[in-house]
Amino acid sequence: MKKLLLWGIPAFILMAFVGWRFVGRNASQASQQSGKGRAAAVVSTSPTTSYVMVRSIQSVGNVEAPYKIEISPKSAGRIEYLEAREGDTVKPGDVLLRIDPGDLKGAVLEQRAGVAQARSRLAQAKLSQGSTNVGITSQIQQQRAAVNSAVANYSQLKQNYDAQVATAEAQIGAANSAIVNAQAVLTKENASLRNAQTQYERILGLAKKGYTAEQNADNAKTAVEVQQAAVGVAQAQVQSAKLQLQVQQQNLLIVKRKGTSDIAAGQATVTQARANLNMAQANRSQGPAYQENLQALQDQVDASIALLKQAESRLSDTVVKSSISGTVTARKADPGALASPGTPVLEVQFIDWLYVSATIPVDQSTQVGPGQMGSVTIDGLPGRTFSGPIVNVNPAADPLSRKFSVKIRLENKDHSIKPGMYARLSIVTGQVKADVVVPHEAVKTSSDGSTTVAVVDADKVAHVRPVKIGLSDDRGVQILEGVTAGENVVVLSFNPVKDGQKVSIAKPEDASDAKKAKGKKKGD
């Protein structure tokens, strides 16, 4: 309460003083009445201006290093050497970290001994190499002849087999044809029998009625009996043909079994002959076999050398070098500590040039692209403005923020910019010739979002007009509709200006006093 009184009383006195000056200096104007009975309002005006306004996208982002590596050893062990600290610059090939190599040196010596032993065995085998061919050419020729004979016999057996099978199958075909013919004869005899029986029954019926002689009926009966005998003969022929088919089928099975057995025996003979030939040739091939043995010993030497190289590689892994030019930005261990693979010991970042990563709304993403220049200010480096090209625009928006990420490259030869700094980004997307620009104070925005500007005409009458605004910058607001070039607009008034109200143009010092008073009122 005391604080409120302490600040409120001086503010009230100051406002009363400013009001007294306005009223005292403009007593003559204040006594005049407008056509509507309102007193003239004291205002400060400003003419419209025109200039080229710059359209730009504003965003904020972070400074990032293009290359950031974490240094960790490939082998676990105690840190023997580590001198780099935060801020130190390094270049490719600089030794950053060394692990105690004691155990790995022993492994290298052991593998070197293994290489020496393998080479010794190879040298001894080469010294004892000699010719072992004992004149077995004749034996090889005999075995080759045996192989040729066995192959010829095998081929003959296969040909005989094929011919016998073909003959047996032809006989089966003939037996099938005989069955078909016998069945056809049987069918014919059965038809004749049925016809004879029908004839007999018809004649017998006529004989019983006395229309024909009984001798005719006896003859018809005899014809039936003869035909029945013929059917029996045909049936016997069918059975005989079927039995003949079974015989031929059994014969085919016998031919196939015997032929298969003979062929298998012939194949076995060929195999045995070839095996004997291989044995004979093996006696002559002891030289190449010995060469194979020498090759096996050479492979052992190569394997030992490979193991040695692996041990030497693990030993070299105890020395960790920088792979990039950069600056040490973090040190996470000290000499004497235990280090393990995958656990960072140092962090090195390339900072000769950096990225500024920021995001832009989806509706503005089509206005930017690689190659456009961006202006960057950094909170940690006040008073400096940096510029660089856009080098990357992510083609996919973040699903949560609905924004696209962009990257701007900034040169940083003096290393004044640091990764992690907070940056403000401005990207110029175009320029507009603004014919009518008014100060920000001239534009009034109502609660419903509509905007108005009070224009003072030559008769010092204010006209409150709805306006359509365009671009804006720190100098003013573009008016697209509602105000024309050259008109004076109200930028400051002690009381709100109404449409059609007579106004009085304040002198510059009065406007300054009123502006200060208004500022004091807001500060209270």
Side-chain angles (χ1 to χ4, degrees):
M1 185 64 181
K2 291 181 179 180
K3 186 175 180 180
L4 180 62
L5 292 175
L6 181 64
W7 290 97
I9 293 174
F12 178 77
I13 295 173
L14 179 61
M15 292 175 63
F17 173 74
V18 172
W20 173 77
R21 285 197 63 185
F22 269 62
V23 173
R25 288 178 180 270
N26 301 281
S28 59
Q29 289 90 342
S31 62
Q32 299 177 2
Q33 301 293 323
S34 66
K36 296 181 181 181
R38 292 194 296 268
V42 180
V43 299
S44 176
T45 62
S46 174
T48 64
T49 59
S50 64
Y51 58 87
V52 176
M53 302 187 77
V54 177
R55 182 189 295 114
S56 63
I57 297 174
Q58 309 295 323
S59 184
V60 295
N62 294 310
V63 177
E64 299 175 354
Y67 310 117
K68 175 182 176 181
I69 63 173
E70 292 183 330
I71 305 298
S72 62
K74 291 184 179 180
S75 301
R78 181 178 58 84
I79 298 176
E80 185 179 70
Y81 171 86
L82 178 61
E83 293 188 357
R85 292 189 177 276
E86 292 87 344
D88 291 349
T89 58
V90 298
K91 60 182 181 299
D94 286 352
V95 176
L96 303 180
L97 174 67
R98 187 182 295 117
I99 302 297
D100 182 7
D103 295 339
L104 295 176
K105 284 183 177 180
V108 169
L109 294 175
E110 181 179 354
Q111 293 304 327
R112 285 177 181 170
V115 172
Q117 290 177 1
R119 284 175 173 169
S120 175
R121 289 192 295 268
L122 177 61
Q124 290 176 1
K126 287 181 178 180
L127 288 175
S128 62
Q129 182 180 9
S131 175
T132 57
N133 190 357
V134 200
I136 56 174
T137 304
S138 60
Q139 183 181 3
I140 292 175
Q141 291 176 347
Q142 292 175 2
Q143 295 301 330
R144 282 178 178 170
V147 169
N148 293 334
S149 176
V151 169
N153 182 57
Y154 174 69
S155 298
Q156 186 62 45
L157 289 173
K158 288 182 65 178
Q159 291 177 1
N160 294 339
Y161 172 78
D162 292 339
Q164 291 173 357
V165 168
T167 300
E169 288 178 344
Q171 291 174 349
I172 290 175
N176 282 323
S177 298
I179 290 174
V180 171
N181 293 333
Q183 286 179 338
V185 172
L186 176 60
T187 301
K188 177 182 176 182
E189 297 300 337
N190 281 327
S192 298
L193 176 60
R194 287 193 297 273
N195 184 47
Q197 287 177 338
T198 301
Q199 186 70 17
Y200 169 69
E201 290 174 355
R202 183 174 61 82
I203 294 174
L204 181 61
L206 293 173
K208 288 180 179 181
K209 294 180 180 180
Y211 296 140
T212 185
E214 291 184 0
Q215 182 62 41
N216 292 335
D218 292 339
N219 293 336
K221 182 178 180 182
T222 300
V224 169
E225 291 173 351
V226 170
Q227 196 59 43
Q228 285 176 342
V231 168
V233 171
Q235 288 176 340
Q237 289 175 347
V238 169
Q239 291 299 323
S240 176
K242 288 182 177 180
L243 289 175
Q244 186 62 29
L245 175 62
Q246 292 177 357
V247 170
Q248 296 302 330
Q249 288 174 339
Q250 290 294 326
N251 183 52
L252 176 61
L253 291 176
I254 292 172
V255 168
K256 286 184 175 181
R257 288 173 182 173
K258 184 178 183 302
T260 302
S261 177
D262 292 342
I263 290 174
Q267 179 65 47
T269 302
V270 172
T271 302
Q272 181 63 42
R274 286 175 175 170
N276 293 336
L277 175 61
N278 290 336
M279 290 178 62
Q281 290 175 336
N283 292 330
R284 192 182 65 179
S285 303
Q286 289 183 6
Y290 204 85
Q291 290 296 329
E292 292 293 332
N293 182 53
L294 291 179
Q295 184 60 48
L297 292 174
Q298 180 64 54
D299 292 342
Q300 291 180 5
V301 172
D302 295 340
S304 298
I305 292 174
L307 292 175
L308 173 61
K309 290 181 178 179
Q310 289 180 4
E312 290 175 340
S313 177
R314 288 193 293 269
L315 178 61
S316 66
D317 289 340
T318 60
V319 179
V320 182
K321 300 178 181 180
S322 176
S323 59
I324 65 170
S325 294
T327 302
V328 177
T329 55
R331 171 170 163 159
K332 304 177 182 180
D334 293 304
L338 292 176
S340 59
T343 301
V345 175
L346 292 174
E347 182 181 88
V348 177
Q349 298 191 54
F350 178 86
I351 60 174
D352 287 350
W353 59 268
L354 299 167
Y355 285 132
V356 173
S357 294
T359 58
I360 57 174
V362 172
D363 57 348
Q364 296 177 336
S365 62
T366 58
Q367 302 176 28
V368 299
Q372 285 182 255
M373 298 298 292
S375 178
V376 177
T377 59
I378 298 176
D379 290 358
L381 300 172
R384 298 182 63 181
T385 300
F386 306 88
S387 63
I390 296 175
V391 294
N392 177 266
V393 178
N394 193 332
D398 182 271
L400 298 179
S401 64
R402 302 299 179 186
K403 292 185 177 182
F404 288 80
S405 64
V406 298
K407 290 183 182 295
I408 290 182
R409 172 172 170 160
L410 297 183
E411 296 298 328
N412 188 36
K413 297 300 183 183
D414 60 355
H415 294 180
S416 59
I417 309 175
K418 311 296 182 185
M421 283 184 165
Y422 185 77
R424 301 180 187 275
L425 171 65
S426 176
I427 303 174
V428 175
T429 59
Q431 295 181 339
V432 174
K433 178 61 172 66
D435 296 326
V436 180
V437 181
V438 301
H440 287 275
E441 296 85 357
V443 180
K444 307 299 180 185
T445 303
S446 62
S447 59
D448 62 359
S450 60
T451 53
T452 59
V453 171
V455 180
V456 178
D457 61 15
D459 297 329
K460 295 184 179 181
V461 176
H463 302 278
V464 179
R465 302 176 187 171
V467 295
K468 180 180 179 181
I469 63 176
L471 299 180
S472 65
D473 57 15
D474 55 352
R475 296 171 58 186
V477 179
Q478 179 189 19
I479 303 299
L480 301 177
E481 296 177 3
V483 179
T484 59
E487 290 187 308
N488 289 323
V489 297
V490 176
V491 296
L492 181 65
S493 62
F494 192 77
N495 292 313
V497 177
K498 297 183 179 180
D499 185 46
Q501 184 178 3
K502 193 76 173 180
V503 298
S504 175
I505 308 300
K507 295 180 179 180
E509 61 270 19
D510 295 337
S512 178
D513 290 340
K515 191 171 184 179
K516 289 179 180 179
K518 191 172 182 180
K520 283 288 185 181
K521 185 176 180 182
K522 290 182 178 179
D524 295 341

